[in-house]
């Protein structure tokens, strides 16, 4: 397919450009049910996953990045068929991504589908975030959950928006690999307990280390905010708390590091302790 047939947008005053740029704001993402991703890697991950990509916009001066051109020309999948490809000026690229040095490509996607059946699998592993507001931490935890094969990630109220551009970037595409659900933990956690899920938190006062817990059972790992930990209502629902032992002089680990340590102990027990 010849990219010269792609439409060209050069003015930042164009209505479509204004609509795309508005997706940098949460209220417009919520209203439209869409979000924006940027960069070749994220766009490729979206095309190869189950995401519904509607439009791909690329820098007219640089042309379609080679990896995407190959995907476009050789993979006539449901993800690539029917896609709208648009050329845009550098000023349009900058306005829509909110950066002075814009990426070569961005895409518009429908928000991801919710698959709640993944939450209650036998011997499943689900990561639950309560009040994690930092996009980098949330994205890193999603990447770690993906890396160890967790079944899902839940973002409780008070967490950073999953579709915040910084959160999306920090997931490095992992948000397309496993279900990520936004929910009210005060409603969802009691339901999980009724279904036999064990709710595990962390505490400096815990009697057992993370290495003494049996991670092979159905577990929901609850991680709290960077400054305050789990809120009192959520902490009251925890079945058991564990501590990550530290023998050096570091005062603590941040929430993303702590979650990763716990998730990899879970992976070790589930896959390598036989």
């Amino acid at each position: 397919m010849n990219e010269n047939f792609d439409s060209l947008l050069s003015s930042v005053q164009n209505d479509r450009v204004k609509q795309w740029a508005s997706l940098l704001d949460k209220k417009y993402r919520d209203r439209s049910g869409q979000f924006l991703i940027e960069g070749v890697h994220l766009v490729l991950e979206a095309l190869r996953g189950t995401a519904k990509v509607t439009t791909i916009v690329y820098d007219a001066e640089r042309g379609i990045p080679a990896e995407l051109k190959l995907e476009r020309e050789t993979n006539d999948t449901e993800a690539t068929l029917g896609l709208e490809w648009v050329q845009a000026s550098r000023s349009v690229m900058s306005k829509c991504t909110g950066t002075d040095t814009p990426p070569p490509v961005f895409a518009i996607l429908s928000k991801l589908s919710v698959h709640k059946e993944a939450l209650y699998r036998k011997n499943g592993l689900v990561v639950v975030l309560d009040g994690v507001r930092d996009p980098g931490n949330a994205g890193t935890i999603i990447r770690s959950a993906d890396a160890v094969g967790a079944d899902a990630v839940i973002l409780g109220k008070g967490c950073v928006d999953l579709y915040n551009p910084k959160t999306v970037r920090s997931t490095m595409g992992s948000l397309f690999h496993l279900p990520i659900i936004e929910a009210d933990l005060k409603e969802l956690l009691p339901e999980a307990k009724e279904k036999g899920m064990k709710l595990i938190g962390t505490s400096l006062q815990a009697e057992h280390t993370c290495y003494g817990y049996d991670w092979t059972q159905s577990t929901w790992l609850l991680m709290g905010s960077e400054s305050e930990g789990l809120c009192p209502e959520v902490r009251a629902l925890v079945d058991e708390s564990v501590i990550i032992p530290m023998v050096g002089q570091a005062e603590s680990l941040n929430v993303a590091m702590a979650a990763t340590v716990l998730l990899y102990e879970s992976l070790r027990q589930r896959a390598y302790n036989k």
Side-chain angles (χ1 to χ4, degrees):
M1 188 180 295
N2 192 318
E3 65 189 68
N4 292 329
F5 290 108
D6 296 340
S7 56
L8 173 64
L9 289 177
S10 57
S11 172
V12 295
Q13 300 304 318
N14 181 279
D15 287 342
R16 294 198 74 193
V17 173
K18 291 179 179 179
Q19 181 183 10
W20 294 336
S22 72
L23 296 177
L24 297 173
D25 189 320
K26 183 180 186 303
K27 71 178 180 180
Y28 291 108
R29 294 194 293 269
D30 291 343
R31 185 180 301 172
S32 67
Q34 295 182 313
F35 69 108
L36 184 149
I37 61 174
E38 59 185 72
V40 175
H41 175 74
L42 275 175
V43 174
L44 278 173
E45 290 296 308
L47 290 174
R48 292 168 179 172
T50 58
K52 184 179 179 182
V53 184
T54 60
T55 307
I56 293 179
V57 184
Y58 60 93
D59 188 322
E61 294 180 23
R62 291 186 273 185
I64 301 177
E67 302 95 323
L68 287 174
K69 182 177 288 188
L70 181 64
E71 193 81 9
R72 181 183 188 181
E73 293 174 348
T74 62
N75 294 335
D76 291 333
T77 63
E78 184 179 346
T80 54
L81 290 173
L83 263 178
E84 179 186 24
W85 295 76
V86 178
Q87 302 179 75
S89 65
R90 190 68 55 88
S91 59
V92 167
M93 300 295 293
S94 180
K95 181 177 179 64
C96 293
T97 57
T99 57
D100 293 330
T101 307
V105 63
F106 68 85
I108 308 300
L109 287 69
S110 298
K111 283 191 174 183
L112 305 175
S113 300
V114 174
H115 303 286
K116 287 194 174 181
E117 63 273 13
L119 299 180
Y120 305 113
R121 292 173 181 155
K122 184 179 180 182
N123 305 121
L125 176 64
V126 173
V127 183
V128 183
L129 305 187
D130 174 35
V132 176
R133 299 179 182 88
D134 181 80
N137 283 338
T140 298
I141 293 170
I142 290 170
R143 287 174 67 186
S144 295
D146 178 22
V148 305
D151 293 281
V153 175
I154 300 170
L155 302 181
K157 290 185 176 180
C159 285
V160 65
D161 180 25
L162 171 62
Y163 301 105
N164 177 307
K166 292 181 180 178
T167 310
V168 171
R169 283 196 296 271
S170 64
T171 70
M172 291 296 290
S174 285
L175 80 165
F176 302 124
H177 301 162
L178 77 170
I180 304 173
I181 296 160
E182 296 174 293
D184 185 339
L185 300 185
K186 296 172 188 176
E187 296 177 3
L188 195 60
L189 295 182
E191 180 181 328
K193 289 170 73 78
E194 290 176 5
K195 293 181 180 291
M197 306 297 115
K198 195 158 185 181
L199 308 187
I200 301 301
T202 60
S203 171
L204 294 175
Q205 288 73 46
E207 296 180 1
H208 306 289
T209 73
C210 58
Y211 306 118
Y213 175 72
D214 179 7
W215 292 96
T216 64
Q217 59 190 314
S218 300
T219 298
W220 282 25
L221 171 61
L222 279 56
M223 302 300 298
S225 73
E226 293 84 349
S227 58
E228 300 171 3
L230 298 173
C231 71
E233 296 87 347
V234 170
R235 179 162 293 283
L237 294 169
V238 168
D239 293 309
E240 185 177 335
S241 292
V242 298
I243 186 171
I244 299 173
M246 292 187 290
V247 298
Q249 299 181 52
E251 182 179 343
S252 63
L253 302 177
N254 75 15
V255 65
M257 294 172 66
T260 300
V261 169
L262 297 169
L263 287 169
Y264 268 90
E265 172 58 15
S266 170
L267 176 63
R268 185 191 69 80
Q269 289 189 22
R270 289 165 179 256
Y272 297 100
N273 193 28
K274 299 177 182 179

